[in-house]
Amino acid sequence: MSDLKFCQGPKCHTYTTKDRLKGMKGSKTYQTRRRSDFYYGNGNFCSMNCQSDWFKEFGNQAIDHFGRLTFPLKLTEQNAWVKDYDYNYRDDNPKSNYRFVNKITNEQRPLTEQQYDDTSYTLNTGE
Ligand SMILES: [Zn+2]
């Protein structure tokens, strides 16, 4: 398998678990975990610990690089639409449970299941 990748945690190799211990007797080392995929941090970290280690070491640089917020983001009537859905076991329920709800005005608008599943479909017009 050529798609193996390394955990990006800067201290991953310092957590001395058996699966990190590699090499022949006499030259064993603890090594950064390598897998086809990871569960944490968009598939970049083997554990919450490693993700948190990364943020402690690089978080400030990353935020400065991509742009630090210097003003509050605001939820307004224009961007407060969220998709909502009541789970219902009954298959014969004639009413659609899918809807848009505006978190500011509490207005509700009906939604088809297709629109609900379409992640690009939104009523929001601002950020
Ligand atoms: Zn790790």
Side-chain angles (χ1 to χ4, degrees):
M1 234 212 245
S2 56
D3 285 9
L4 294 180
K5 54 187 180 179
F6 291 102
C7 169
Q8 295 302 300
K11 292 180 180 174
C12 192
H13 63 291
T14 68
Y15 301 116
T16 54
T17 59
K18 272 186 185 167
D19 70 301
R20 289 177 171 100
L21 190 58
K22 309 280 181 192
M24 308 288 277
K25 199 176 179 184
S27 62
K28 284 187 182 295
T29 56
Y30 286 102
Q31 298 185 11
T32 297
R33 275 183 174 150
R34 195 177 185 202
R35 301 268 191 282
S36 57
D37 201 15
F38 295 114
Y39 192 71
Y40 301 94
N42 296 351
N44 287 301
F45 302 97
C46 74
S47 66
M48 282 298 289
N49 260 347
C50 283
Q51 181 181 321
S52 153
D53 288 341
W54 187 94
F55 199 86
K56 275 182 214 149
E57 191 155 334
F58 304 114
N60 278 330
Q61 283 172 258
I63 289 171
D64 286 336
H65 178 78
F66 293 107
R68 188 171 288 272
L69 276 186
T70 55
F71 53 87
L73 300 176
K74 291 175 183 172
L75 196 63
T76 65
E77 276 184 47
Q78 286 70 42
N79 66 5
W81 292 102
V82 294
K83 291 174 179 176
D84 202 2
Y85 169 59
D86 285 325
Y87 195 76
N88 195 328
Y89 287 98
R90 290 177 49 196
D91 289 328
D92 58 344
N93 183 13
K95 244 175 103 184
S96 170
N97 285 317
Y98 300 95
R99 60 188 177 267
F100 269 120
V101 178
N102 191 296
K103 291 295 190 181
I104 297 287
T105 62
N106 289 321
E107 181 187 344
Q108 297 196 7
R109 293 187 194 171
L111 198 58
T112 66
E113 185 172 354
Q114 210 170 15
Q115 290 167 330
Y116 183 88
D117 291 337
D118 180 355
T119 52
S120 65
Y121 185 72
T122 180
L123 295 179
N124 290 327
T125 55
E127 275 184 38

